[in-house]
Amino acid sequence: MEETYLLNVEGVKKKILHGGRGELPKLQDGSKFTFHFQTLKDDFERTVIDDSREAGMPMEIIVGKMFKLEIWETLLSSMRIGEVAEFWCDTIHTGMYALVSRGMRRIAEGRDPLEGQKHRCGMGNMFDYHSTGYEDLDELQRTPQPLIFIMELFRVEDPSAYKRDTWAMSKEEKLAAVPVLHSEGNRLVLRREFAQAAAKYQEAVICLRNLQAKEKPWEDGWLKLESLVTPLVLNYCQCQLELGEYYEVLEHTTELLQKHNDNAKAYFKRAKAHAAVWNEREAREDFQRVAHLDPSMAAAVKKELKQLGERMRKKHVEDRKRYQGLFQSSQGL
């Protein structure tokens, strides 16, 4: 039997279409809802705007993480596991729906949900979002209106029951995750799974950079985090060297050396990347800096310089042959 009633929230009506099981889930910051949804216009045809089943992926929301459409957290909090419910929401709750839908659609299309979005806030973002790129969503932005949400709640997980994305972690969780990610990266390197190892190091760096953003640069807290970032970036660059991503290595080592211009290991990795892309002069300069900064690496530098010289000589011979062949071909025309 259908049950229709008002939630204790202004501008919301709820109708249970299929009863759930058990009690209402106990929620805390970091709990995760997983659910399917349909969004419909409140018109005669009940025009469907979005359907997560058609998109092929359920929706997830983390409690307490300021999801743009705040009313959804309230709606889901009123549901039991397995419940299907229809919610009518007045315009005061639906003004952000076009932006939320835009992001979800782009993810379903395999695109970056933030593509084209500038890092500005307030009034600036109103201009960035002048068009969503979808005609029906542009209409919703121009003429905000009540919407109907039909939701089916599959599960609610405690924060400890699932792997949390970096953005959803607290400060303490990020700090605890870093040594775990570092260790996992090292284990993958030993198995020569360099792409997977690089992803682990990168995730750890992101955790630390997020924490650094809340510290004053070059003060004690920032420096302590930076000391953890540096070896992770170097490990990431070593993986990229193994994968042949030399310009990636040049980018990250150069950024690192702008802050720490006495880091011999960073110069060494940058020198190897320069050598790999035939930047002979830059490679030699960086190798020489390594030997000056860390005499214990002199033997390794000598070996690399010898290999660089041999590669460059071979390249010059091949270039001469190629140019001679081109010259002879042009003479025969």
Side-chain angles (χ1 to χ4, degrees):
M1 179 178 178
E2 292 186 350
E3 179 183 358
T4 304
Y5 60 93
L6 295 172
L7 286 177
N8 189 26
V9 180
E10 181 185 358
V12 176
K13 298 177 184 177
K14 176 179 179 181
K15 180 189 295 183
I16 295 177
L17 305 180
H18 183 277
R21 57 185 182 275
E23 302 294 323
L24 288 174
K26 295 180 180 179
L27 304 174
Q28 55 183 303
D29 274 4
S31 295
K32 182 168 74 173
F33 293 112
T34 302
F35 60 101
H36 268 307
F37 74 94
Q38 270 190 324
T39 304
L40 300 86
K41 288 185 177 181
D42 184 22
D43 57 14
F44 181 78
E45 296 83 5
R46 287 169 61 96
T47 305
V48 176
I49 300 171
D50 289 306
D51 187 334
S52 62
R53 284 188 172 82
E54 287 189 4
M57 54 191 296
M59 184 69 182
E60 295 178 348
I61 288 180
I62 307 295
V63 174
K65 295 303 177 182
M66 299 299 288
F67 183 63
K68 284 179 181 174
L69 201 65
E70 294 180 23
I71 193 63
W72 273 17
E73 188 174 314
T74 302
L75 305 182
L76 291 162
S77 298
S78 76
M79 299 178 68
R80 292 172 169 79
I81 305 300
E83 181 178 322
V84 181
E86 177 178 309
F87 300 91
W88 178 90
C89 294
D90 204 352
T91 308
I92 59 172
H93 300 298
T94 62
M96 294 294 290
Y97 184 76
L99 303 187
V100 171
S101 176
R102 173 186 184 270
M104 292 187 295
R105 290 183 186 186
R106 293 176 79 88
I107 290 171
E109 293 165 4
R111 300 161 67 190
D112 181 355
L114 300 178
E115 181 183 329
Q117 176 179 334
K118 297 183 175 124
H119 294 287
R120 300 189 299 184
C121 58
M123 193 64 72
N125 274 334
M126 290 178 65
F127 294 103
D128 288 335
Y129 289 124
H130 179 68
S131 173
T132 64
Y134 302 92
E135 288 186 13
D136 59 337
L137 299 183
D138 287 344
E139 179 194 345
L140 286 181
Q141 285 204 129
R142 286 191 297 269
T143 56
Q145 55 195 269
L147 295 174
I148 297 167
F149 303 113
I150 300 176
M151 296 177 162
E152 180 180 2
L153 181 61
F154 295 137
R155 59 182 175 273
V156 177
E157 298 170 274
D158 290 337
S160 59
Y162 64 94
K163 184 181 184 299
R164 304 180 70 185
D165 292 331
T166 299
W167 63 267
M169 293 181 180
S170 67
K171 176 180 178 180
E172 293 73 21
E173 288 169 332
K174 288 174 183 173
L175 285 172
V178 168
V180 175
L181 291 165
H182 197 159
S183 178
E184 289 176 353
N186 292 347
R187 177 177 55 81
L188 289 164
V189 166
L190 291 174
R191 291 163 52 179
R192 301 191 65 78
E193 297 178 16
F194 297 113
Q196 296 89 332
K200 296 293 183 182
Y201 296 137
Q202 185 177 46
E203 187 176 350
V205 169
I206 290 170
C207 286
L208 294 169
R209 292 296 191 208
N210 287 343
L211 295 173
Q212 267 192 318
K214 299 175 183 178
E215 302 285 345
K216 290 186 178 180
W218 303 104
E219 292 194 358
D220 288 347
W222 188 94
L223 288 170
K224 185 176 180 181
L225 293 168
E226 185 69 13
S227 69
L228 299 175
V229 167
T230 300
L232 288 163
V233 172
L234 291 172
N235 286 0
Y236 174 83
C237 287
Q238 183 59 44
C239 291
Q240 297 304 319
L241 282 174
E242 297 286 352
L243 294 167
E245 298 291 344
Y246 304 119
Y247 289 102
E248 180 94 352
V249 177
L250 291 175
E251 177 185 348
H252 289 286
T253 51
T254 298
E255 182 182 349
L256 188 62
L257 287 165
Q258 287 171 350
K259 298 176 186 174
H260 312 286
N261 62 4
D262 60 347
N263 191 303
K265 290 182 179 179
Y267 278 118
F268 190 78
K269 295 184 193 304
R270 190 171 75 171
K272 286 177 71 70
H274 274 310
V277 295
W278 308 106
N279 296 337
E280 182 180 11
R281 178 179 59 81
E282 293 87 348
R284 289 187 181 279
E285 288 176 356
D286 278 353
F287 280 133
Q288 288 166 3
R289 288 193 186 99
V290 173
H292 174 73
L293 289 168
D294 188 352
S296 70
M297 298 180 71
V301 167
K302 184 177 180 180
K303 179 181 176 182
E304 292 290 339
L305 286 171
K306 181 180 179 181
Q307 290 177 350
L308 175 61
E310 291 172 351
R311 288 182 67 239
M312 295 308 300
R313 280 191 293 274
K314 184 177 179 181
K315 182 176 185 295
H316 293 325
V317 170
E318 291 174 350
D319 288 346
R320 277 199 302 271
K321 289 180 179 178
R322 184 161 55 251
Y323 294 145
Q324 286 173 356
L326 289 172
F327 178 75
Q328 290 169 357
S329 296
S330 65
Q331 290 281 347
L333 294 176

